[in-house]
Amino acid sequence: MYQMKDERLKWQQLKNTRTAFTFQSIAILGLVIYRGAVDGAQAAFADPLWLVFVGTIVLLTYLNMRISVQVEQTETGKPPGPYWVKVVVALGVGLIGALIYLVATPDWTLFLVFLIGAVIFICFLVPFSLIHYWRLKEIHDEDE
């Protein structure tokens, strides 16, 4: 494969890839929405395209988090705050989510409401933990 040496061409290739990825994501989302409108929401969420779309968004978010940690670390240069604050914030968001589900759907059991709150807590704790770890790693690597 040909190795590009011109930075402008590399940048243009990245822009082209981003454009193709955006088009692909919009097309997949459009197909899922169409399927949901025609066959109902359950059919849309059971569609494998939905899993591809969600997996792609999760992967893109994970990759962008890594870049944003490096950019923020170079701009601010200050160390991350204590980890327990992040755990408390994630726990608070999980509790608020559980309370919203408790009020919005009173026919659900407390177990389901607790499960929803736990999932929200984990979904917030994992990115907070990864960012905290990466920031500490950046600081540790700069010290060496």
Side-chain angles (χ1 to χ4, degrees):
M1 187 168 160
Y2 175 73
Q3 293 286 341
M4 282 191 282
K5 297 191 186 335
D6 189 0
E7 290 295 322
R8 292 176 298 125
L9 294 177
K10 287 181 182 179
W11 187 249
Q12 185 61 43
Q13 186 179 26
L14 287 173
K15 285 182 180 179
N16 293 345
T17 303
R18 182 179 63 190
T19 303
F21 174 77
T22 303
F23 174 77
Q24 180 183 11
S25 296
I26 290 171
I28 289 173
L29 186 61
L31 289 172
V32 170
I33 289 173
Y34 173 76
R35 175 111 188 244
V38 172
D39 299 332
Q42 291 293 344
F45 293 135
D47 193 354
L49 283 177
W50 175 253
L51 291 176
V52 169
F53 181 71
V54 170
T56 303
I57 296 302
V58 167
L59 178 65
L60 180 65
T61 304
Y62 171 77
L63 295 172
N64 284 336
M65 269 190 342
R66 184 68 184 227
I67 292 171
S68 66
V69 165
Q70 291 176 351
V71 168
E72 181 181 323
Q73 193 65 29
T74 57
E75 288 178 357
T76 62
K78 62 182 185 177
Y83 182 69
W84 66 269
V85 172
K86 293 165 180 59
V87 173
V88 169
V89 169
L91 184 63
V93 171
L95 286 175
I96 290 171
L99 288 175
I100 289 172
Y101 274 96
L102 183 64
V103 171
T105 55
D107 56 330
W108 281 16
T109 64
L110 284 179
F111 174 73
L112 287 176
V113 171
F114 174 75
L115 188 64
I116 293 291
V119 167
I120 293 172
F121 167 70
I122 291 170
C123 287
F124 273 83
L125 185 64
V126 168
F128 287 171
S129 299
L130 282 173
I131 289 173
H132 187 80
Y133 169 74
W134 288 334
R135 286 180 181 164
L136 287 178
K137 187 176 177 186
E138 286 287 323
I139 290 172
H140 186 297
D141 290 346
E142 286 176 4
D143 291 342
E144 290 180 355

